[in-house]
Amino acid sequence: MPDLNDSSLYLNRELSWLKFNTRVLAQSMKKELPLFERLKFLAIYATNLDEFYMIRVAGLKQLFSAGVIETGADQKTPLDQLREIRAYLASEKEVIQSSYEEIVADLEKENLYIKNYHELGPVLARQANDYFFSNILPVIVPIAVNATHPFPHLNNLSFSLAVKLQDGESEEEGNYKYGMIRIPRVLPRFFQAGENTYVPIESIVKKHVEEIFPGYRLIASAAFRVTRNADMVIEEEEADDFMMIMEQGLKLRRKGAFVRLNIEEGADPDILEFLNSHMQIFFKDIYTYKIPLNLGALWQIVGNKDFSHLALPPYNPKVLPPFDSNESVFKVIDKGDVLLFHPYESFDPVLKLIKEASKDPKVISIRMTLYRVEKNSQIVQALIDAANEGKQVTAVVELKARFDEENNLHWAKALEQAGAHVVYGITGFKVHAKIAQVIRQEEDGKLKFYMHLSTGNYNGATAKVYTDTSFFTCKEDFAKDGTTFFHILSGFSKYKKLQTLSMSPTQIKPKVVSLIHNEAKFGAEGRIIVKMNSLVDPDVIQALYEASMAGVQIDIIARGICCLRPGVAGVSETIRVKSIVGKYLEHARIFYFKNAEPTTTFISSADWMPRNLERRLELMTPIFDKALQQKLFEILQLQLNDNALSWNLGSNGDYTQAVSSDEKSINNHTILEDYMNKIYKAQKKDSTHRAEKLVKRLFKES
């Protein structure tokens, strides 16, 4: 019997995540993709990497400083991980630069240019000069650093130009002055000169340094960008006013320790020494680039509507049967459970449920969890309207939703002012469950409960680009559990358990492990297909190894991190792992266990990670309706067959891109778009029966 605690059976979490981001970067190099799509993936890669350094690398540095030795099932020390991360990112730097340069060269063939100031012709240079004096000079902050001017505070991800100056009247070398020019976030990353040329702001500022520091001569300059530790540790037990503590935490985030410096390649060594004498960043966390810093800002160029032909054609999510009529959303749910797959099916029915509930005089209560909502959220506005109308509104606003804290604080205050009861999560846990409950008084005076359970956030913006499942029901078993769950959130309850739904941190992990063990009893007749963002939890991985050793065929679709090592002789020979990276961000969690009773199929807000299973309040929802089970199963089958967007994980921990070769190329994103368009056309031709049939049998007639 193999030792399933052997560290060699587990891939490192951080390195697995880096390989996911490499798969994102690989999309930017796909010649078959339109140029704006390739730019988008460069922007996503860079933004992902910022967060990785702010949270994961910062955390490893803290563990190392605290003397922590082991951190996971792979038994790598924090120092081991930091060394491997730095080596990995150093080797990837050339790929980022070559991808960017290749895309820029191809954009020039389309008459779209990204140029530094010194590359501009006279006409565009004059435009850039005018822009400098009218828009840049009034808002930039020139900073001298000397005995009477201390080194300034630099906010996380702030962008500046460091300068080395000399007295303009002095002919002698030396006696240099050092300073910097802060480039505020209110300025766009690029100045658009003419209709088709983008100029990095720092190259315009560099041209005018001597006007910013009059009387001094510019000797050298270098654009740089800093990254700070952005994780927040909130001492909840000591917090009388949790909202106040969160606001203080957000301010402290701006002052976290420096963890990375990005600086332009070829920077004067004196400038680098000047900066790092104040920031004290480990030299291997200093990255030099010959391309513009902050590639996350490339969205500005992608947004140019005059070049929309360089992007993929937009897909408009469809409102399909049974939500395609003008019938009340409550009547639709009364007829039977409904399951949607976003973004192919529109998020509008979710919005309609809350909006209709806010206006319906028979609705007496609305309860919702809010984890990440957009800035102009129609859902939150509907909750505010409902509270203003005197309805009982309970909103669980998770203030600890990382990088959405400020937005959530804003909405929490607005809801409170409207009279809603706002719960700021649970002490020691994040509330990551996605659930809404509408309580409506029927004609006979009885209360009826309408439930919505999802794998994604109540966010209309991300619902257009994230794939997620969305489940509507008014079945009594779900209603009872929904009520219990909200009571747990708003009151005191140590021992409550749900009966139909499963809740973490007490129920989901034992349930998942039990379902895996159950399949193992059936040996080669066992079958598991699971789809999630990340697989990390060592107990769940051990259960999967045991099932594989029993002969169970297991397929795992894990977009991001996977710490399980597939294909190991005698341990995981029957396990296959794939990752799908493409136009849409794969966010749904769908679990299929062939021999489970009373249902084979589940959706969940939780990934199989310790944080989701042990430190968050999450929900796992069983799907009992046979047609909806079939719909989810066919989604899983389609993604397993995908050979256009897929990467397969090998036993060595490396991912290789799936190759279609002589086979038909199967891109699950475009197939689903086409299929939903087909249903929509059938619906428009007044063939409601045909449309409903297509919805129920998702791919059989595709």
Side-chain angles (χ1 to χ4, degrees):
M1 175 76 176
D3 177 10
L4 297 184
N5 292 311
D6 185 340
S7 62
S8 68
L9 293 176
Y10 300 88
L11 300 171
N12 179 260
R13 179 197 196 284
E14 314 305 350
L15 295 173
S16 181
W17 184 92
L18 284 176
K19 289 178 180 180
F20 155 67
N21 212 29
T22 297
R23 298 194 290 279
V24 173
L25 179 60
Q27 294 293 111
S28 76
M29 295 180 280
K30 280 191 170 181
K31 295 276 192 183
E32 64 269 27
L33 283 178
L35 289 169
F36 274 8
E37 299 302 319
R38 294 170 66 187
L39 269 186
K40 282 182 191 177
F41 281 108
L42 263 186
I44 293 166
Y45 170 88
T47 304
N48 286 348
L49 193 54
D50 284 345
E51 185 171 332
F52 180 75
Y53 243 91
M54 286 188 282
I55 304 300
R56 306 305 307 179
V57 173
L60 287 171
K61 286 182 171 226
Q62 288 180 319
L63 291 173
F64 172 68
S65 299
V68 174
I69 303 301
E70 291 181 8
T71 57
D74 60 290
Q75 295 180 7
K76 288 185 186 292
T77 69
L79 183 57
D80 290 336
Q81 293 176 72
L82 286 167
R83 285 172 174 160
E84 292 190 48
I85 288 166
R86 288 161 178 152
Y88 190 96
L89 291 175
S91 68
E92 197 163 70
K93 190 180 79 169
E94 292 302 320
V95 181
I96 303 161
Q97 294 181 153
S98 63
S99 177
Y100 174 82
E101 289 169 346
E102 184 180 280
I103 295 169
V104 169
D106 288 344
L107 285 171
E108 289 183 1
K109 297 172 189 174
E110 300 288 341
N111 200 30
L112 183 63
Y113 303 91
I114 303 174
K115 292 184 175 183
N116 286 314
Y117 180 94
H118 70 270
E119 299 173 292
L120 301 176
V123 174
L124 295 184
R126 279 196 299 275
Q127 286 186 29
N129 291 336
D130 291 344
Y131 183 76
F132 172 80
F133 288 108
S134 62
N135 291 71
I136 299 177
L137 186 60
V139 297
I140 59 173
V141 182
I143 298 167
V145 179
N146 54 31
T148 57
H149 296 83
F151 192 82
H153 170 75
L154 297 173
N155 285 338
N156 185 30
L157 303 182
S158 62
F159 185 52
S160 306
L161 194 72
V163 294
K164 177 181 177 181
L165 305 166
Q166 190 171 34
D167 188 322
E169 297 177 0
S170 173
E171 297 296 328
E172 296 180 20
E173 289 292 318
N175 195 25
Y176 299 122
K177 307 284 187 186
Y178 296 93
M180 64 185 67
I181 303 164
R182 275 186 181 158
I183 301 176
R185 291 177 184 174
V186 294
L187 291 172
R189 179 66 186 83
F190 301 93
F191 165 61
Q192 187 174 348
E195 296 179 356
N196 60 348
T197 303
Y198 288 87
V199 187
I201 286 287
E202 69 274 17
S203 74
I204 303 174
V205 173
K206 180 179 178 179
K207 169 65 180 172
H208 294 280
V209 166
E210 293 177 3
E211 290 155 292
I212 297 167
F213 293 96
Y216 286 87
R217 186 167 72 253
L218 177 65
I219 304 300
S221 70
F224 72 96
R225 187 168 178 259
V226 298
T227 309
R228 288 180 175 273
N229 181 343
D231 210 1
M232 290 195 302
V233 178
I234 304 298
E235 299 298 335
E236 297 175 67
E237 296 293 349
E238 300 174 11
D240 293 325
D241 186 336
F242 189 59
M243 188 179 286
M244 182 184 73
I245 293 292
M246 285 301 299
E247 288 172 336
Q248 290 172 354
L250 289 168
K251 290 175 185 174
L252 288 173
R253 172 182 281 172
R254 301 175 196 139
K255 300 178 182 178
F258 290 111
V259 291
R260 182 181 62 163
L261 171 64
N262 289 351
I263 190 164
E264 67 175 86
E265 194 173 273
D268 186 297
D270 289 343
I271 284 183
L272 193 52
E273 185 180 339
F274 155 67
L275 290 173
N276 214 24
S277 66
H278 295 282
M279 291 190 277
Q280 303 292 312
I281 297 174
F282 184 59
F283 75 99
K284 288 194 174 179
D285 292 319
I286 299 173
Y287 296 88
T288 62
Y289 293 95
K290 60 184 177 183
I291 61 176
L293 307 180
N294 188 15
L295 295 180
L298 290 171
W299 289 100
Q300 180 187 344
I301 298 172
V302 171
N304 189 330
K305 301 298 182 188
D306 294 335
F307 290 85
S308 57
H309 61 283
L310 298 180
L312 287 170
Y315 170 79
N316 295 316
K318 303 296 186 288
V319 178
L320 301 176
F323 285 121
D324 57 317
S325 68
N326 293 323
E327 197 171 27
S328 161
V329 68
F330 300 117
K331 288 187 177 178
V332 173
I333 301 170
D334 282 339
K335 294 175 185 175
D337 296 347
V338 184
L339 186 135
L340 305 180
F341 192 38
H342 309 302
Y344 312 101
E345 294 178 274
S346 175
F347 185 72
D348 286 354
V350 182
L351 178 57
K352 185 178 178 183
L353 171 66
I354 306 304
K355 277 188 169 181
E356 194 173 317
S358 71
K359 295 173 184 175
D360 188 337
K362 294 179 182 176
V363 168
I364 60 173
S365 178
I366 307 172
R367 298 163 173 167
M368 284 190 79
T369 57
L370 300 172
Y371 190 73
R372 296 189 197 278
V373 292
E374 68 266 49
K375 286 188 176 178
N376 299 308
S377 171
Q378 293 185 62
I379 279 183
V380 180
Q381 190 55 56
L383 292 177
I384 290 169
D385 293 343
N388 285 329
E389 288 293 317
K391 297 184 191 301
Q392 183 192 72
V393 175
T394 300
V396 182
V397 182
E398 181 48 79
L399 295 184
K400 300 188 292 294
R402 188 176 287 145
F403 303 123
D404 277 278
E405 299 97 341
E406 290 183 73
N407 189 49
N408 287 1
L409 276 168
H410 162 75
W411 283 123
K413 290 176 181 177
L415 283 161
E416 279 193 335
Q417 287 170 3
H421 177 58
V422 181
V423 179
Y424 306 120
I426 301 295
T427 302
F429 297 92
K430 279 187 181 180
V431 179
H432 192 249
K434 326 296 182 184
I435 180 172
Q437 183 185 57
V438 175
I439 305 175
R440 191 170 185 266
Q441 195 161 35
E442 300 297 296
E443 300 294 340
D444 58 5
K446 290 182 180 178
L447 297 181
K448 191 157 190 177
F449 297 75
Y450 294 86
M451 306 293 302
H452 176 261
L453 296 132
S454 178
T455 63
N457 300 305
Y458 289 107
N459 186 314
T462 57
K464 293 176 182 175
V465 289
Y466 287 20
T467 74
D468 272 305
T469 56
S470 203
F471 176 64
F472 301 80
T473 186
C474 59
K475 298 286 194 306
E476 191 174 333
D477 290 348
F478 291 101
K480 284 180 180 177
D481 273 357
T483 301
T484 301
F485 183 71
F486 280 107
H487 286 177
I488 290 169
L489 293 179
S490 63
F492 294 112
S493 179
K494 274 191 175 182
Y495 308 110
K496 282 278 187 179
K497 286 195 173 183
L498 307 182
Q499 301 303 312
T500 302
L501 301 171
S502 298
M503 176 181 72
S504 70
T506 55
Q507 292 179 284
I508 295 180
K509 184 171 173 176
K511 177 75 172 178
V512 165
V513 170
S514 172
L515 288 164
I516 296 169
H517 285 161
N518 182 64
E519 290 303 311
K521 295 175 186 175
F522 291 86
E525 293 301 312
R527 183 78 171 101
I528 298 172
I529 310 173
V530 291
K531 171 180 169 56
M532 65 195 75
N533 293 301
S534 297
L535 171 57
V536 176
D537 190 90
D539 297 324
V540 174
I541 292 173
Q542 284 196 13
L544 290 167
Y545 284 156
E546 289 167 0
S548 178
M549 289 187 286
V552 178
Q553 184 65 48
I554 301 168
D555 278 293
I556 299 165
I557 307 166
R559 169 179 55 87
I561 302 165
C562 181
C563 295
L564 177 148
R565 195 184 290 273
V568 176
V571 176
S572 55
E573 292 176 81
T574 64
I575 303 179
R576 296 180 297 184
V577 179
K578 76 183 316 184
S579 169
I580 294 174
V581 179
K583 178 180 179 181
Y584 299 117
L585 185 137
E586 295 292 337
H587 193 253
R589 292 92 167 183
I590 306 170
F591 312 141
Y592 168 79
F593 301 91
K594 178 183 175 184
N595 297 290
E597 293 291 346
T599 180
T600 59
T601 314
F602 304 80
I603 63 171
S604 181
S605 62
D607 287 310
W608 289 355
M609 304 176 75
R611 71 180 189 191
N612 300 89
L613 301 177
E614 296 172 4
R615 300 191 295 277
R616 291 183 174 185
L617 271 79
E618 307 266 14
L619 289 172
M620 185 167 80
T621 304
I623 304 299
F624 296 109
D625 183 284
K626 295 294 184 186
L628 303 187
Q629 288 178 17
Q630 182 67 24
K631 182 174 180 176
L632 290 169
F633 184 74
E634 288 173 1
I635 290 168
L636 292 174
Q637 287 294 327
L638 175 64
Q639 296 211 326
L640 288 179
N641 291 330
D642 182 295
N643 57 21
L645 307 176
S646 295
W647 297 73
N648 299 316
L649 176 60
S651 58
N652 62 356
D654 291 336
Y655 285 82
T656 54
Q657 201 159 4
V659 181
S660 55
S661 62
D662 297 330
E663 303 174 59
K664 180 182 176 184
S665 177
I666 301 172
N667 179 324
N668 84 93
H669 290 176
T670 56
I671 286 174
L672 281 162
E673 285 181 347
D674 292 345
Y675 194 75
M676 297 305 174
N677 283 331
K678 180 180 180 181
I679 300 172
Y680 190 68
K681 285 176 184 174
Q683 174 184 322
K684 286 298 176 187
K685 290 178 181 176
D686 294 327
S687 180
T688 305
H689 176 71
R690 165 81 170 148
E692 288 175 350
K693 185 178 177 183
L694 287 168
V695 169
K696 287 177 181 175
R697 301 292 291 178
L698 197 55
F699 310 114
K700 294 300 183 185
E701 300 186 35
S702 176

